[in-house]
Amino acid sequence: MEGPGQEAYEERMRRSLDPEGYEDPGIKVSHLSLEGTSRAGAGTGSPLHAWRARAEELTPLRQYLPSHRGCYDLDGRRRAAGAPPGQASHRGGGQPSSVTDVDLEAAGSRRPVSQRETHEGYVELHELVMDSTKELCWMEAGHWFKLEEDFEEDGHWGQPHLSFLTYRSLLEIRRALAKGAVLLDVAANSLAAIAHILIDQMIYEGQIKPQDHEDILRTLLLQHKHPNKAESVRTLRPAQLQRSGTGQAETEQPLLQEQQPMEMHGLARAEQSPSGATRSQLPEKVPEDAEATLVLVGCAAFLEQPTLAFVRLKDAVSLDAVLDVPLPVRFLFVVLGPDTPHVSYHEIGRAVATMMSERVFRRDAYLAESRQDLLRGVEDFLEASIVVPPTETPDEQLLRSLVPLQHQLLRRRYQPPEKAPGKSFLEDLRQEVPEEDDPLRRTGRPFGGLVRDIRRRYPKYLSDIKDALSPQCLAAVIFIYFAALSPAVTFGGLLSEKTKGMMGVSELLISTCVQCILFSILSAQPLLVVGFSGPLLVFEEAFYSFCNQFDMEYIVGRVWIGFWLILLVLVVVACEASFLVRYLSRYTQEIFSFLISLIFIYETFSKLVTIFKDHPLKRHYNVQSTVHPKVPEPNTALLSLVLMAGTFFLAFFLRKFKNSAFLPGRARRLIGDFGVPISIFIMALIDFFIKDTYTQKLNVPKGLEVTNASARNWFINPMGKNNTFPIWMMFASVVPALLVFILIFLETQITTLIVSKPERKLVKGSGFHLDLLLIVAMGGLAALFGMPWLSATTVRTITHANALTVMSKTTAPGEKSQILEVKEQRISGLLVAVLIGVSILMEPILKYIPLAVLFGIFLYMGVTSLFGIQLFDRILLLLMPPKYHPSEPYVTRVKTWRMHLFTFTQIVVLVVLWAVKSTQASLALPFILILTVPLRRFLLPKIFRDIELKCLDADDAVVTFEETEGMDVYDEVQMPS
């Protein structure tokens, strides 16, 4: 059926053709003869030769378009009606061109795989319909770019969503592709040329009859339309193509009579925004270098069985007035067949489009050299698909159990194919997994690991400076400065309280500044953020109590510990003992982290109770004009409680607010990232405006003065100031030095392991030996000047690495960003250290911070550290009925009572550690902690099976780049910071 619209479209198609037909200009000048083609490998009995001979017998070919006289030869050139094949009409003089090779390879491509490039794929599905003017046309039913987007019944594009396919449609594709026409690397530059070549191949393979050539060719060249509110596949009836000359016109028939198309309209509407998406979203996300796939499906009553044809063009071709986006077409799928009640061509088209939008199958389509390659691609696609049986689901939550299975299938699908062993297998194996890539591998030579770290990292020193020339590095400096300053001020204030002013904010800021500068210049992994941490604070308090008990100078004892630290780290680095970090499993890390979190929480309320004891609540107070520390003051305890609780809840709220749905993402993350300094500022401001109530403030000296100038100087005499330091203690200091070394070793090496995970895609490598030597040696020398020793801080380091990570822009809704690169450089850490050093001059501001505010931050660090600990989650499961347990491997694959038994062993160790911490033997805390390593390696395997230990003690922390609701960097960390 024809009309004025179709005639105008056909006229435009004729004018767009080449004057001599619709062939590729590159083919005209090739002058390849049939003999040359045979010599190239076709042979007289080849399909290409037989196809040409078959087509020669079909002379004269039917007219190509209505109202246009003439036929087209095998090579796609127009000739006059009745002229023999090979004699084309010419406008000018010259010899007629010989029959050209259209580069059609039904049995495989001669093009080397290495020369083919893959691209991002955009797919459009067009269905054969009858428009409002009763003309046949192709109407776009949907498009795909990683996700599917359909045109809804109410006249707008729905939200992009995952494609849900019928299993039958996938089987139909597999069956049809095994028998359908497969044309690889076709050289054509127009839709007419593609259609002509495709139909001749289908005639040759016996899929369609020669008398149907004209009808199918005219159908493939029908006008392509795109949906709007007036016309769409939802409002127009599918058309059924009839053979011309039978007296029957094309009729409106559904593509499937007894079975309605299965599409997730409900899901798409559920995900749709309230206002509705009036315009398509996916085409806007398509990159410029993408290539398109066109899928045509329709019903042809004269066909005996469904037919499928696949065409891959040699080069992508821009087809005018076909696609909704200006992209060249590389692939063409045509699905035609009779009207049968059990076959939905719409669903087959959706399945084809979904497969071509999936990157692995699209890669297979680019690289396929034969039909079998495509069939293997379909089979691989089916193996990675999940079939949901037709049973009623009592709870939609049960469908979430499919997610882990899907992830497993995807990991198997995306992993690179195994390389077949050959003559150079051993050489290839050594290249794929070079031993030098493992920084923890022992060389067997003294200081061999240290030498390897230097050789691996220092040659990249110049790039460490050049890579810092990026605005992202400047933004990271500002963010990390506040992330490092807040803990330094907090721990400095608490350290002053624990040591009675022997060390405080001034010493900690200077120590952080100097050690961070040196570490940024000399380290092998400059992304590590060096600072003070909770475990070191616990040790300082224990060692101070020990020195007071035995009447020894605490600050002098630290000097001798520093000397032993330097000796210990030299021995450890010489023996390459950093490899021992591999034996620190999650079992030990979580016990240590949980213990430190409990200490943080306990110390916070202990200090608050002390304030209530010093300033009790009573009816009458003896208020004096000046404040005396031992004289109770009214409202001091209550205001301290308010300041502490307010700081904690405000910081905690801002952390949750960061992952909420309020405000734009960038502003939300900015507020959340600076949640701790914002909380300190707001609560200190509230205290500042309350003039009549006393609160104890942070003790900060002016300039470069020490915290307690009457008790010490900047240089500490190793022999003692007031009394001679005991000689026996000089040697006995090796014991506390060993304990400090264990703490620094644990935090530094585990932090390096976390930041060096392959998922983070760091390319310059790490240096476990060099970094450990620098941190411990600098801490040992810092003790000579009465400054704290430091370690790598886990949370701050992960935050630093995330701030320097460049992520790709998502090209489709719901797509996860991928890492493009990480700015591995030294300048950001260096600038942060300098800014922290300048903060020493902030005494006029820091002196207004109440200690209660710092207690609130201390409580915040203790509580938030619990959220990333699986042990804490399993302790909560002790209070939950099994039906409310989460779908985690340690829950689903381990019996509940055995999971609780594993948790109970960790609780027992925690109780033992807490008992040691609460006695005079608190210095032995790190040593008791190390005993959990042989406990885990030798005792627990006798109680639990290997599969149970793999589930309960697996290092399955997810690397967090873009924080989602309920997830942040604390969920990746088992160590406190």
Side-chain angles (χ1 to χ4, degrees):
M1 181 174 295
E2 303 175 16
Q6 178 64 27
E7 292 178 355
Y9 176 74
E10 292 171 354
E11 183 62 28
R12 290 197 302 270
M13 290 293 297
R14 293 191 197 98
R15 293 178 180 177
S16 65
L17 295 178
D18 184 88
E20 294 185 358
Y22 42 85
E23 67 174 351
D24 193 323
I27 301 177
K28 292 183 185 180
V29 299
S30 61
H31 298 289
L32 292 179
S33 64
L34 287 177
E35 296 177 355
T37 305
S38 300
R39 288 194 299 269
T44 56
S46 67
L48 182 60
H49 186 85
W51 168 75
R52 293 181 175 219
R54 171 71 179 272
E56 292 271 3
E57 298 173 359
L58 300 178
T59 306
L61 298 175
R62 283 183 169 85
Q63 65 181 23
Y64 170 55
L65 292 172
S67 306
H68 176 72
R69 296 185 58 80
C71 307
Y72 289 85
D73 214 332
L74 301 178
D75 53 3
R77 290 178 297 144
R78 190 182 59 182
R79 60 182 173 84
Q87 297 182 4
S89 60
H90 300 274
R91 292 187 179 183
Q95 296 297 326
S97 302
S98 62
V99 179
T100 59
D101 184 359
V102 296
D103 199 14
L104 171 64
E105 303 172 41
S109 171
R110 294 188 296 268
R111 186 178 182 182
V113 174
S114 59
Q115 296 181 3
R116 299 200 187 106
E117 296 181 355
T118 61
H119 298 264
E120 291 283 355
Y122 171 79
V123 187
E124 278 193 14
L125 171 63
H126 291 201
E127 295 185 13
L128 185 63
V129 298
M130 190 82 70
D131 65 10
S132 56
T133 61
K134 301 301 181 181
E135 291 185 4
L136 287 176
C137 68
W138 295 104
M139 177 64 69
E140 180 185 0
H143 47 236
W144 281 254
F145 180 65
K146 301 180 181 178
L147 298 176
E148 178 181 359
E149 194 173 34
D150 302 315
F151 198 81
E152 302 293 343
E153 295 180 0
D154 47 359
H156 63 74
W157 286 99
Q159 286 289 323
H161 59 87
L162 292 176
S163 298
F164 296 85
L165 309 175
T166 61
Y167 186 62
R168 185 184 185 91
S169 64
L170 293 173
L171 294 181
E172 291 290 345
I173 294 174
R174 172 66 176 81
R175 185 182 301 110
L177 191 60
K179 300 179 180 179
V182 176
L183 291 83
L184 303 178
D185 296 341
V186 174
N189 63 354
S190 67
L191 181 60
I194 300 172
H196 187 79
I197 295 170
L198 174 61
I199 294 175
D200 286 342
Q201 178 67 18
M202 296 174 71
I203 293 175
Y204 163 70
E205 294 186 0
Q207 295 190 45
I208 60 176
K209 298 179 180 179
Q211 58 267 31
D212 296 328
H213 180 285
E214 177 188 345
D215 295 326
I216 296 181
L217 183 61
R218 182 166 53 87
T219 301
L220 294 181
L221 297 179
L222 288 171
Q223 185 176 6
H224 293 258
K225 295 184 178 181
H226 303 282
N228 51 50
K229 292 185 177 181
E231 291 184 338
S232 69
V233 291
R234 306 294 183 191
T235 59
L236 300 177
R237 297 282 292 177
Q240 186 179 82
L241 184 64
Q242 301 289 343
R243 180 178 289 132
S244 59
T246 60
Q248 299 178 356
E250 293 86 351
T251 60
E252 302 177 31
Q253 293 289 341
L255 297 186
L256 184 64
Q257 294 179 347
E258 299 180 6
Q259 177 183 354
Q260 295 297 324
M262 188 281 300
E263 289 194 56
M264 306 304 292
H265 302 309
L267 177 62
R269 292 195 192 98
E271 297 177 350
Q272 184 176 313
S273 59
S275 59
T278 57
R279 58 179 300 180
S280 178
Q281 300 182 35
L282 288 184
E284 299 176 357
K285 305 288 186 179
V286 180
E288 296 180 356
D289 61 342
E291 293 182 348
T293 300
L294 178 61
V295 181
L296 304 178
V297 298
C299 185
F302 51 82
L303 295 179
E304 298 178 357
Q305 60 183 358
T307 61
L308 182 145
F310 169 79
V311 179
R312 183 182 71 203
L313 300 179
K314 183 176 182 180
D315 297 300
V317 176
S318 297
L319 303 180
D320 297 333
V322 175
L323 298 181
D324 194 24
V325 294
L327 289 178
V329 175
R330 187 61 175 269
F331 299 96
L332 174 66
F333 274 92
V334 178
V335 181
L336 296 173
D339 181 20
T340 56
H342 301 296
V343 176
S344 171
Y345 298 107
H346 173 75
E347 286 304 319
I348 294 177
R350 288 185 62 249
V352 169
T354 303
M355 293 171 64
M356 288 302 299
S357 65
E358 197 265 331
R359 64 185 179 95
V360 177
F361 182 81
R362 187 171 64 253
R363 180 202 63 191
D364 295 340
Y366 270 105
L367 303 181
E369 301 211 8
S370 65
R371 182 195 307 271
Q372 295 303 320
D373 293 338
L374 288 174
L375 291 176
R376 280 193 293 268
V378 175
E379 292 170 356
D380 293 342
F381 185 90
L382 291 174
E383 289 181 1
S385 302
I386 300 175
V387 178
V388 180
T391 57
E392 294 185 3
T393 304
D395 186 3
E396 293 183 359
Q397 297 294 330
L398 296 177
L399 294 177
R400 294 188 177 181
S401 60
L402 298 177
V403 175
L405 175 59
Q406 185 197 34
H407 289 171
Q408 181 180 358
L409 293 174
L410 287 178
R411 281 194 298 268
R412 186 186 309 166
R413 182 166 175 79
Y414 291 157
Q415 66 184 0
E418 297 182 1
K419 193 170 184 178
K423 295 182 180 179
S424 60
F425 175 71
L426 295 179
E427 289 79 359
D428 293 341
L429 187 61
R430 282 195 290 269
Q431 291 178 0
E432 292 176 4
V433 190
E435 294 181 347
E436 294 295 327
D437 283 350
D438 185 5
L440 291 175
R441 183 181 62 86
R442 303 185 68 188
T443 63
R445 299 185 301 271
F447 296 100
L450 177 63
V451 174
R452 288 177 56 230
D453 290 346
I454 294 175
R455 289 179 176 176
R456 181 191 308 110
R457 198 63 175 84
Y458 279 11
K460 304 180 179 68
Y461 206 98
L462 184 59
S463 67
D464 289 340
I465 299 176
K466 292 181 179 179
D467 292 346
L469 302 178
S470 171
Q472 186 165 0
C473 293
L474 179 61
V477 168
I478 299 174
F479 170 51
I480 299 302
Y481 165 67
F482 285 100
L485 179 64
S486 299
V489 173
T490 303
F491 282 121
L494 296 173
L495 188 60
S496 179
E497 287 290 312
K498 303 287 186 182
T499 62
K500 301 299 186 291
M502 298 303 294
M503 288 190 300
V505 176
S506 180
E507 290 82 2
L508 185 53
L509 289 179
I510 294 176
S511 179
T512 303
C513 171
V514 175
Q515 294 190 46
C516 284
I517 289 177
L518 294 176
F519 187 81
S520 299
I521 295 174
L522 302 175
S523 67
Q525 182 51 272
L527 296 186
L528 297 182
V529 177
V530 178
F532 201 72
S533 63
L536 295 177
L537 178 64
V538 174
F539 175 85
E540 295 287 1
E541 181 185 14
F543 186 67
Y544 182 80
S545 301
F546 173 82
C547 291
N548 279 348
Q549 180 181 357
F550 290 93
D551 195 21
M552 291 184 297
E553 291 185 82
Y554 157 74
I555 203 70
V556 178
R558 294 184 76 259
V559 175
W560 289 100
I561 292 178
F563 291 158
W564 283 108
L565 279 176
I566 296 175
L567 182 59
L568 285 173
V569 74
L570 288 175
V571 173
V572 169
V573 172
C575 298
E576 302 178 294
S578 292
F579 78 95
L580 294 174
V581 72
R582 297 186 187 275
Y583 297 102
L584 295 174
S585 66
R586 188 170 188 162
Y587 185 85
T588 300
Q589 296 176 33
E590 290 191 333
I591 291 175
F592 185 37
S593 183
F594 198 95
L595 175 66
I596 299 302
S597 298
L598 289 181
I599 293 175
F600 281 7
I601 298 171
Y602 171 80
E603 290 294 333
T604 300
F605 289 102
S606 175
K607 293 297 180 183
L608 187 63
V609 170
T610 302
I611 294 177
F612 270 86
K613 289 181 179 179
D614 294 340
H615 305 277
L617 302 179
K618 55 184 181 179
R619 183 179 296 274
H620 300 289
Y621 290 90
N622 183 16
V623 180
Q624 300 180 5
S625 57
T626 59
V627 176
H628 296 279
K630 298 300 182 181
V631 178
E633 291 289 332
N635 300 323
T636 295
L638 291 178
L639 181 58
S640 298
L641 174 62
V642 171
L643 293 176
M644 186 207 72
T647 305
F648 166 75
F649 285 112
L650 184 58
F652 192 80
F653 167 76
L654 292 178
R655 176 175 178 261
K656 292 295 185 183
F657 178 79
K658 177 181 179 179
N659 303 321
S660 66
F662 299 98
L663 298 184
R666 182 171 299 178
R668 189 173 65 242
R669 292 189 181 94
L670 182 65
I671 295 175
D673 289 337
F674 293 95
V676 171
I678 289 175
S679 304
I680 294 176
F681 174 77
I682 292 177
M683 302 312 296
L685 192 64
I686 292 175
D687 177 79
F688 177 78
F689 286 109
I690 301 177
K691 303 291 186 180
D692 296 334
T693 303
Y694 163 78
T695 53
Q696 187 179 1
K697 301 298 191 295
L698 183 63
N699 182 18
V700 183
K702 295 182 179 179
L704 297 178
E705 295 181 1
V706 296
T707 302
N708 189 354
S710 61
R712 51 157 292 189
N713 297 317
W714 276 116
F715 180 78
I716 309 301
N717 185 359
M719 305 310 297
K721 178 182 179 182
N722 301 324
N723 301 314
T724 303
F725 195 74
I727 297 179
W728 67 269
M729 189 58 191
M730 296 178 185
F731 295 95
S733 296
V734 66
V735 177
L738 179 62
L739 303 180
V740 174
F741 180 80
I742 291 175
L743 294 178
I744 297 177
F745 180 88
L746 287 174
E747 289 202 273
T748 300
Q749 303 297 57
I750 292 177
T751 301
T752 307
L753 276 178
I754 292 176
V755 80
S756 301
K757 285 184 176 181
E759 296 88 341
R760 294 192 171 274
K761 297 184 179 180
L762 301 182
V763 297
K764 296 184 180 180
S766 299
F768 289 83
H769 310 280
L770 177 59
D771 292 346
L772 181 66
L773 176 63
L774 287 174
I775 291 176
V776 177
M778 289 189 302
L781 294 176
L784 192 60
F785 300 94
M787 293 187 295
W789 34 61
L790 308 178
S791 68
T793 53
T794 312
V795 172
R796 278 163 269 175
T797 296
I798 293 175
T799 305
H800 188 204
N802 288 354
L804 295 172
T805 301
V806 181
M807 307 296 294
S808 64
K809 294 183 179 179
T810 56
T811 55
E815 179 188 5
K816 291 184 178 180
S817 298
Q818 302 296 325
I819 297 180
L820 297 180
E821 64 171 332
V822 180
K823 301 292 183 180
E824 299 179 67
Q825 39 73 45
R826 301 177 182 272
I827 304 303
S828 62
L830 183 65
L831 292 180
V832 168
V834 172
L835 291 176
I836 291 177
V838 174
S839 302
I840 300 172
L841 306 178
M842 294 173 58
E843 179 268 340
I845 299 176
L846 297 179
K847 68 180 182 180
Y848 289 106
I849 299 179
L851 283 181
V853 171
L854 301 184
F855 296 157
I857 298 301
F858 213 48
L859 178 63
Y860 167 80
M861 290 188 293
V863 172
T864 52
S865 295
L866 291 175
F867 293 146
I869 305 175
Q870 188 193 101
L871 171 60
F872 179 68
D873 298 335
R874 285 188 275 107
I875 290 177
L876 295 181
L877 294 182
L878 292 172
L879 309 177
M880 293 184 186
K883 65 178 180 179
Y884 296 113
H885 288 184
S887 299
E888 298 290 344
Y890 61 85
V891 174
T892 58
R893 299 184 182 182
V894 182
K895 292 183 179 180
T896 303
W897 72 271
R898 294 185 66 81
M899 176 187 67
H900 292 333
L901 178 61
F902 185 85
T903 306
F904 180 73
T905 62
Q906 291 181 293
I907 294 176
V908 170
V909 175
L910 273 174
V911 172
V912 173
L913 290 172
W914 187 269
V916 172
K917 179 261 177 189
S918 303
T919 62
Q920 297 179 353
S922 57
L923 282 176
L925 184 66
F927 180 73
I928 301 298
L929 177 68
I930 288 298
L931 293 180
T932 60
V933 175
L935 171 67
R936 164 62 181 87
R937 290 187 61 82
F938 301 111
L939 181 58
L940 291 185
K942 297 181 179 180
I943 303 176
F944 300 93
R945 294 183 293 119
D946 289 342
I947 184 63
E948 293 174 331
L949 290 177
K950 287 181 180 179
C951 296
L952 292 166
D953 197 29
D955 184 16
D956 56 355
V958 178
V959 176
T960 306
F961 300 107
E962 289 191 350
E963 297 172 357
T964 55
E965 186 172 357
M967 293 285 293
D968 58 16
V969 293
Y970 285 93
D971 294 280
E972 189 181 346
V973 179
Q974 287 96 46
M975 296 297 294
S977 185

